[in-house]
Amino acid sequence: MGRRRQSVTIKHVAADAGVSLQTVSRVINNEPNVRPAMKAKVQASIEKLGYVPSIAAQRMSGSRSYLILAINDRDRTIADWKARDGRDWVDQMLLGGMLTAAELGYRMIFELVDTHSDHVERELGAAIAALQPDGVIVTPPHSENAQITGLLAESGIPFARIGSKEAGPGIAMTMGDELLAGKATDHLIELGHTRIGFISGPAEYSLTSWRVDGWREAMANAEFDCDGLLERGDFGFESGLAAARALLDGEIKPTAIIASSDQMALATLEAAKERGLNVPKDLSVISFDNTPIVRFSNPPLTALDQPISATAARAVELLIDAKKNGHPSEPVVLEGELVVRGSTARVAAGARA
C-alpha cells in the first residue's frame, strides 16, 4: 500500500528557508519590514515545496483573520431551500462573494440568523467571537435591523449593508431598485401601455418602497394615473395570486403588471389564465429577480435582473479595502438590467380605452 503523502505546512517552509515561523507568516501576508533578500528566500522555499498558505498561517500575524462573514435571514432562506422553486439569491451571493474572496486570498463564511429572534445579538455575537471576521455582509432585512448593525458598529468590524441606503454605520449598498422599477415601467409605456399595475413586496423591506417610487415616478413622467393599480404581496406565490386577482378584477383593468418577485409574477400568469387572458396579447407581465425558473414559464418572463453576484463581489472588495482606506460615504449602487422575453408585447389597440 502506497505511503500517504504528507502535506506541506508553514513549518516545512520555515525549516527549508532557515527562518522563523513569524517571518514566513509576514511574507505570506505581505507585511512590511521584511528584507527583500529574506522575502526572496522564503518565496523560493514556498515554490520549491509547493506550499499553499492556509488561513491559520495567514492569521499568525494577528492583524487579520482572512475571513468574510455573510449573514442571511434564517426563516426565509430555509423556506426557500425547502420549497425548491428556483430562487437563487443565496447561490448568486455566494458566487460573487466566494470567488472574489478567494481571488484576494480570503474565505467567505455563510451564516443564517433570525432577524426577529430575541437572541439575535447572542447568535451574531457568538459567530463574530468564533470567527473574528475581517468584514461582514448583511442582507435584507438584517441590513436595516438596528440591533444587528449596532452590534457590528460596536465591534468595530467593517460591514456592508446590502439593500440599505439610510445614513448610518457600515457601507450602504443597493441594486438600483428604484431605477429598475422605472426601467420596467418605461419599457411597458414604450409598448403603448397606460394602465400598468404594480404588485409590491412586504413593508419591512425598504426596497419595497423604492420600487413603488420608481414605478410611480415613471408613470407620473408619462402623465399616467396610478390610482387603483397598486397591490401588496409578501414575495410569495399565494400573496401574488391574491394581489393579481385584485388588480385584474378591479375597476381599472391593467393591461400590464410589474410584480416585485418572480413568484408573484408566476402567480400573475396563473391569475391571467384563470380569467382567460392571454399573456402577452391581453396582459404583459414583468418580474423582478430573474431567477432561473422564469425562463421556463409559459411564456418566459421578461424580468429585471438584479446584480446580486456583482453586489456581493463588490462588498467583499470594499470590506477588504476598508481597513486601509476606509469606506465610501455615499451608498454604492450597482444597477441591473431588463431582460426582455415573451411575456411583454405592444398593447392591443382595443385595450387603450
Side-chain angles (χ1 to χ4, degrees):
M1 183 174 180
R3 185 180 178 184
R4 185 177 179 182
R5 184 180 177 183
Q6 185 178 14
S7 61
V8 179
T9 69
I10 189 173
K11 292 181 180 180
H12 294 115
V13 175
D16 186 79
V19 300
S20 68
L21 294 176
Q22 288 73 20
T23 298
V24 178
S25 178
R26 286 199 294 270
V27 172
I28 292 170
N29 293 310
N30 199 26
E31 298 285 340
N33 304 320
V34 180
R35 297 194 312 274
M38 185 66 71
K39 185 174 182 179
K41 189 176 183 180
V42 172
Q43 289 286 9
S45 292
I46 288 174
E47 293 176 11
K48 171 186 171 184
L49 299 174
Y51 172 66
V52 178
S54 67
I55 289 179
Q58 290 176 303
R59 294 177 74 161
M60 283 185 65
S61 65
S63 59
R64 290 180 179 241
S65 68
Y66 291 87
L67 292 176
I68 300 295
L69 172 63
I71 63 172
N72 212 47
D73 182 66
R74 176 184 286 120
D75 288 347
R76 189 175 294 277
T77 301
I78 292 175
D80 289 348
W81 284 343
K82 288 183 175 180
R84 302 179 70 182
D85 54 16
R87 299 182 222 199
D88 66 344
W89 165 273
V90 172
D91 292 346
Q92 289 297 309
M93 185 174 67
L94 295 179
L95 171 65
M98 283 187 165
L99 290 182
T100 302
E103 288 172 4
L104 298 173
Y106 282 67
R107 294 292 182 270
M108 191 170 90
I109 305 296
F110 181 71
E111 292 278 340
L112 297 179
V113 174
D114 185 359
T115 193
H116 302 296
S117 171
D118 294 335
H119 309 300
V120 63
E121 289 190 20
R122 186 180 66 190
E123 290 181 11
L124 184 56
I128 290 173
L131 299 171
Q132 299 179 7
D134 290 328
V136 178
I137 298 175
V138 195
T139 59
H142 293 332
S143 49
E144 295 187 310
N145 182 316
Q147 274 185 298
I148 292 175
T149 58
L151 178 63
L152 292 172
E154 288 176 11
S155 70
I157 300 173
F159 63 98
R161 296 180 282 123
I162 295 178
S164 175
K165 57 183 179 181
E166 297 298 320
I171 304 168
M173 304 185 73
T174 79
M175 289 181 278
D177 294 89
E178 188 171 347
L179 298 171
L180 285 176
K183 187 177 291 188
T185 309
D186 288 338
H187 171 68
L188 292 168
I189 290 172
E190 289 170 3
L191 292 174
H193 295 274
T194 60
R195 302 192 304 278
I196 302 170
F198 197 93
I199 302 176
S200 74
E204 66 180 310
Y205 291 82
S206 288
L207 58 83
T208 289
S209 61
W210 302 339
R211 294 175 182 181
V212 172
D213 289 344
W215 165 69
R216 286 189 185 280
E217 182 177 1
M219 292 286 279
N221 289 340
E223 299 184 346
F224 297 150
D225 200 347
C226 293
D227 290 348
L229 291 171
L230 175 64
E231 291 291 335
R232 185 183 299 281
D234 63 7
F235 294 141
F237 186 91
E238 292 302 325
S239 72
L241 192 58
R245 286 168 175 167
L247 287 172
L248 295 174
D249 295 341
E251 184 177 344
I252 303 173
K253 302 286 191 296
T255 60
I257 293 177
I258 302 169
S260 202
S261 77
D262 285 342
Q263 291 299 312
M264 296 196 296
L266 292 171
T268 301
L269 295 181
E270 180 66 22
K273 183 179 179 181
E274 290 174 349
R275 284 148 185 77
L277 300 175
N278 176 274
V279 176
K281 181 180 177 181
D282 303 316
L283 179 73
S284 285
V285 179
I286 294 181
S287 171
F288 266 84
D289 296 342
N290 195 35
T291 55
I293 196 171
V294 302
R295 291 176 294 162
F296 306 108
S297 61
N298 186 22
L301 280 166
T302 293
L304 294 158
D305 189 79
Q306 293 186 287
I308 301 167
S309 176
T311 301
R314 185 62 182 139
V316 168
E317 293 172 344
L318 290 170
L319 290 171
I320 292 173
D321 190 56
K323 193 167 186 177
K324 182 186 298 183
N325 299 315
H327 58 73
S329 57
E330 296 295 323
V332 176
V333 181
L334 286 85
E335 185 182 349
E337 61 181 356
L338 177 69
V339 180
V340 179
R341 298 192 181 95
S343 66
T344 52
R346 183 162 293 278
V347 67
R352 295 177 185 272

